[in-house]
Amino acid sequence: MRTRIRDLVAGSGVSWTAVVDAGGAGIDLATFVGDDVAPVRADDGSAIGTDVLLTVGARPDAEAGGLGDAVAALARVPEGGHALVLLGWPPADLVEAPVAGALAQAGLAPVRAVATPYPDLPVAVLVVRAAAGAESAPAGAAADGAEQPSWSEVTAEAFETALGAAAAMWAEHPEPAGRARSVGRGVDPEADAQLAELARERAALAASLSRTEAELRAARDRVARLEASTSMRVGRALVNAAKNPRSAAKLPRQALRMWRMRGGRAGLAEARRRSGESTAAASAVGESARLVAWRGASLEPRTRVSLLGVVREETEAALARHSFVVRAMPDDARPLFDRADPDLVLVETAVSASSSPWAYLGNPVATERERRLLGLVDAAQAVGRPVVLWRNTPVHETAALGDFAARCDLVVDSAPARSGGVAWSVGVSLGDAVDLGAERDSRTAVLYAGGFDARDTARRRALLVEALEAAGAALTIRPRRGGVPAHGFPGLLGAAVGREVDAHGYAEACRRAAVVVAAPFVVPDSSLGLRDDDLLALASGARLVTGPNRDLEALGLGGAVRVAPADDVAGTVRQAVADGPLTGAEHVAVLRALAESHTVAARLRRLVDRLGIDAEVGHERGVAVVVAPGTHIDVPRLVESVLRQRLRPTELVVARADVGSPSDLLELSASGVAVRTVTRPVVGYSDLARAVDAPWLAPWRPGAAQPWADTHLLDLVVGAEAGDADAVTLAASGGVRGTSALGEDVLLRRSLVVSDDLDVLDLAHWAGRGRTLVAVGSGDAS
């Protein structure tokens, strides 16, 4: 890993008191060491007068005096003083360059050498000034008669040794393709010759392949013409008549049809239509191709991860917002895989429910479906596509899929306690959970979305009844579709059991509830892990009552999660009912925690990274910081505001006229934030937005009273995802809600900024143009 200048300066253990730019690198070093460090000229000859020094050496193609000026400045460092030397040579050239000798002549010994992420200054060396006369001391004889090496030799050897680690690190990350390497810079003639020979061989093979493909196409055309010729058809008709004399009576009719196809009165197209040749051609394509002909095989440009899923409809709907999803059925799974060419195949065990097209998967009475699923797995693994099995049903329902799990590349479980897999689920969609128009006082219901499982122990059933009794008249029972049946509740419960709810109905019920009792309600111990239903209830703003759950408690959500002990279940429920739904500050804290790790995009990103797939996930939440044009930029404050964000922006866009030098923002580039400068005239935000790749813009105003908090961009993105908004603003009052006006701190959708030609001084006009505006507030300022 390369080291940034800021980390080198902060981690060197010395207090820098002087800055010398001896090489003209154009970097504002005060950005890294602070404004209290005095700049010193390299060629004025005055004494440094300090014990430390920061200097920048020249690039190898600069004037020859650049290194001399740097050495002259280094010679003015007092004894014991340190210097951080930034050099423009790659490590391989530094070993051969006369830098070691120059440092030795100046009386400086290397302490540490590292590689940096800055293309113009790839190597940094920390040196210390030795005692006076160290170099002038003559080389004497040691006690054993051996000659003592000179100071120059010792320094040069130490310098080369210190650069070894940096050179190895640099080799792992070669120079960019657009940056030409100088002649003789680490070039291996033998390797170049082998590379050239491989290139010629590749070109010859490509030409041969092209010729072979052309010959194959010509042969296919000849065969097609031969089979379609009248001579071939007449010959076939005569042979068939000879084999079957009864068909000889059809020869005149066949001859008339051939004459028409050859160009008779009806014409070739009409003859094909009348004879049904189009139907025969469709049949020749094959049954598999006809099955998928109506199912939209065309895809958008492959900029996102693509997966083929043997999944339920709700799983497809959740993943489709962040990836290309093709849902496979038993009859078309294999041809769909060939058409879509997905990055991975996802199979969930819940698809084997009785109402699903994959019903009874793994059951011995439905071996045909399992055979087709195995054929899909074999096809995927034959071309190197990973197959993931998501076990999200009880073990007893899909126990027969154990052998199938052994053939998959990865097995994940909704319950982390199950052996043989890792914890994973689809995650939560904030847009489905948050209701922008809901008022806190209107939410009074206590929701239990589950059934009464007679297979539980008597103790667990009694604790569930105790919890539901404590809810009183506000209790609402809604069983989940496909879950435990709702019948069997004791008659002493005064609440009626409503109709079943699917995934969409459950989200809607949570948005109206003040408290949600986790289902299943497992007390006193629980190994359920992070269930999507529980996270969705929290994201909706309801307070959750659950049994002990280490994974849920580790989120640190405070009073948003009420853990019910076995000896006070009723008291926990009553306290949650008394507290009501989440406050605005609690709701925003919950949404922050979920947005970072437990949304659909975050969970899909985790799965893709585990499989080693290089595909884009989560681009829809990318943010670009745009600097208001025509203003003075406080570079240290801007860098601090951007780098402290919990949600790091992908890029920063600024007008070229507003930045003194591109190197002023080099720290952002080294930290992974792409810096884009717009050279054309800039009037408003729309001019900057055209240079942005991210879908969201966050304007940065240099004159703001306070720098950005570390959750600034995260809160704005939470509002964008929760409200499907066109613009998001920060508010003093807590919570996420709709608004009619924008404040100073905003997040804007890039496409609308460009289409509306948004001006830098006028943001309020969006409120009257049919846009969806959302306000997010933590409540800290209220």
Side-chain angles (χ1 to χ4, degrees):
M1 180 177 180
R2 307 182 189 179
T3 306
R4 303 179 301 163
I5 296 178
R6 186 179 299 274
D7 298 333
L8 284 171
V9 172
S12 58
V14 295
S15 300
W16 304 102
T17 58
V19 173
V20 177
D21 186 355
I27 296 180
D28 183 11
L29 300 177
T31 304
F32 306 99
V33 297
D35 297 332
D36 56 341
V37 180
V40 177
R41 290 178 53 85
D43 55 355
D44 60 0
S46 61
I48 297 296
T50 58
D51 57 351
V52 291
L53 171 70
L54 179 67
T55 181
V56 179
R59 289 186 50 78
D61 52 356
E63 296 292 337
L67 180 60
D69 292 340
V71 173
L74 292 172
R76 292 148 53 193
V77 179
E79 293 184 17
H82 293 79
L84 182 62
V85 187
L86 301 178
L87 299 169
W89 285 268
D93 294 342
L94 278 172
V95 175
E96 302 176 359
V99 179
L103 292 177
Q105 292 177 4
L108 295 164
V111 178
R112 181 188 177 200
V114 296
T116 74
Y118 307 96
D120 293 336
L121 300 170
V123 176
V125 184
L126 181 66
V127 297
V128 61
R129 180 68 183 273
E135 175 60 25
S136 58
D144 55 357
E147 185 177 357
Q148 185 75 15
S150 65
W151 175 253
S152 299
E153 295 174 353
V154 173
T155 304
E157 181 179 358
F159 186 71
E160 295 184 8
T161 302
L163 276 175
M169 191 184 313
W170 186 263
E172 297 177 359
H173 304 277
E175 293 180 276
R179 185 176 169 189
R181 296 177 59 91
S182 59
V183 179
R185 184 181 298 182
V187 176
D188 187 356
E190 183 178 353
D192 287 349
Q194 294 178 356
L195 183 61
E197 180 63 26
L198 290 175
R200 287 192 295 270
E201 183 179 353
R202 180 181 181 277
L205 290 175
S208 177
L209 178 61
S210 300
R211 290 193 299 270
T212 303
E213 290 179 347
E215 294 174 357
L216 179 60
R217 286 193 297 269
R220 287 176 176 172
D221 292 341
R222 287 195 298 270
V223 172
R225 289 195 299 269
L226 179 61
E227 291 182 348
S229 64
T230 305
S231 301
M232 176 66 72
R233 293 177 180 274
V234 171
R236 286 178 177 173
L238 294 176
V239 169
N240 292 334
K243 291 181 178 180
N244 185 9
R246 294 181 179 180
S247 63
K250 300 180 181 179
L251 283 176
R253 185 182 307 170
Q254 295 176 358
L256 178 61
R257 184 183 301 115
M258 294 178 204
W259 173 73
R260 288 178 175 176
M261 293 177 62
R262 191 178 181 183
R265 291 175 301 173
L268 181 59
E270 183 68 11
R272 286 180 176 175
R273 184 186 65 81
R274 292 182 177 180
S275 61
E277 184 173 338
S278 58
T279 304
S283 301
V285 175
E287 180 183 359
S288 298
R290 287 191 294 110
L291 286 172
V292 298
W294 60 276
R295 293 200 58 181
S298 62
L299 294 175
E300 300 176 24
R302 293 286 287 271
T303 57
R304 297 185 294 174
V305 64
S306 173
L307 61 91
L308 181 71
V310 181
V311 295
R312 297 167 297 170
E313 292 183 3
E314 52 263 35
T315 304
E316 177 190 16
L319 294 175
R321 300 177 182 178
H322 309 279
S323 62
F324 295 117
V325 182
V326 180
R327 185 165 172 243
M329 300 298 175
D331 293 333
D332 59 7
R334 178 60 186 274
L336 275 178
F337 177 83
D338 297 334
R339 290 283 186 95
D341 187 23
D343 296 315
L344 64 100
V345 175
L346 176 64
V347 181
E348 66 170 328
T349 57
V351 80
S352 61
S354 58
S355 59
S356 169
W358 292 89
Y360 309 111
L361 185 64
N363 194 309
V365 302
T367 57
E368 176 65 17
R369 290 165 187 166
E370 185 175 359
R371 183 184 67 81
R372 298 196 178 193
L373 185 59
L374 291 175
L376 174 62
V377 172
D378 293 339
Q381 294 178 341
V383 294
R385 301 294 187 269
V387 180
V388 180
L389 176 63
W390 176 25
R391 297 189 293 200
N392 56 346
T393 52
V395 180
H396 67 276
E397 294 183 7
T398 54
L401 291 178
D403 294 338
F404 175 75
R407 299 185 58 172
C408 297
D409 299 282
L410 177 64
V411 178
V412 295
D413 293 300
S414 294
R418 184 183 298 181
S419 61
V422 296
W424 186 85
S425 61
V426 171
V428 180
S429 174
L430 301 185
D432 293 339
V434 178
D435 184 3
L436 298 179
E439 295 293 338
R440 187 175 188 271
D441 296 338
S442 64
R443 304 176 61 164
T444 58
V446 178
L447 174 67
Y448 178 72
F452 190 77
D453 196 345
R455 297 171 300 180
D456 283 340
T457 62
R459 175 62 172 161
R460 285 187 177 179
R461 294 198 304 269
L463 290 174
L464 172 61
V465 172
E466 183 180 352
L468 298 182
E469 284 181 340
L475 178 63
T476 300
I477 299 178
R478 301 289 297 277
R480 288 299 301 269
R481 181 171 300 173
V484 179
H487 60 270
F489 280 99
L492 52 92
L493 287 177
V497 178
R499 60 182 177 84
E500 292 183 341
V501 291
D502 55 8
H504 178 73
Y506 176 72
E508 183 178 355
C510 289
R511 290 195 295 266
R512 295 197 300 265
V515 177
V516 174
V517 178
F521 186 67
V522 182
V523 178
D525 57 347
S526 172
S527 59
L528 295 177
L530 292 176
R531 300 175 61 252
D532 289 347
D533 286 352
D534 297 342
L535 298 180
L536 180 63
L538 289 169
S540 69
R543 205 172 299 274
L544 180 68
V545 178
T546 182
N549 191 322
R550 291 188 300 270
D551 296 323
L552 195 57
E553 295 174 21
L555 294 180
L557 301 180
V561 178
R562 298 290 186 180
V563 178
D567 56 350
D568 193 17
V569 170
T572 304
V573 174
R574 293 192 189 98
Q575 183 61 46
V577 174
D579 294 339
L582 301 181
T583 64
E586 289 177 327
H587 194 194
V588 171
V590 167
L591 293 178
R592 286 175 185 165
L594 298 182
E596 289 183 308
S597 303
H598 303 292
T599 59
V600 179
R603 294 282 182 85
L604 185 59
R605 175 78 269 173
R606 185 185 308 170
L607 180 64
V608 168
D609 291 342
R610 186 178 185 88
L611 295 173
I613 299 175
D614 185 14
E616 185 177 272
V617 177
H619 174 73
E620 62 278 356
R621 64 161 49 183
V623 179
V625 177
V626 293
V627 180
T631 56
H632 173 70
I633 301 177
D634 186 353
V635 174
R637 188 175 186 178
L638 173 61
V639 172
E640 179 187 2
S641 296
V642 172
L643 295 185
R644 70 186 298 188
Q645 296 301 308
R646 285 168 58 177
L647 177 64
R648 185 69 61 84
T650 59
E651 52 191 330
L652 182 137
V653 181
V654 61
R656 180 64 181 87
D658 296 335
V659 61
S661 172
S663 59
D664 293 344
L665 303 174
L666 192 59
E667 181 67 11
L668 294 178
S669 301
S671 302
V673 180
V675 177
R676 306 181 190 277
T677 56
V678 180
T679 57
R680 59 179 178 272
V682 175
V683 177
Y685 282 140
S686 59
D687 298 319
L688 296 175
R690 291 182 174 88
V692 172
D693 291 336
W696 295 98
L697 305 182
W700 186 82
R701 294 179 175 84
Q706 297 293 334
W708 283 354
D710 58 348
T711 59
H712 179 87
L713 295 182
L714 180 60
D715 289 344
L716 291 173
V717 170
V718 163
E721 294 182 356
D724 192 17
D726 298 318
V728 186
T729 187
L730 295 183
S733 59
V736 180
R737 65 186 187 282
T739 184
S740 59
L742 292 174
E744 292 187 354
D745 295 322
V746 295
L747 185 71
L748 308 174
R749 193 180 293 274
R750 174 193 176 275
S751 58
L752 297 180
V753 172
V754 174
S755 62
D756 287 0
D757 198 18
L758 190 65
D759 187 76
V760 65
L761 300 177
D762 185 13
L763 295 175
H765 80 290
W766 268 33
R769 304 188 64 171
R771 307 305 185 192
T772 303
L773 310 184
V774 173
V776 180
S778 62
D780 298 335
S782 59

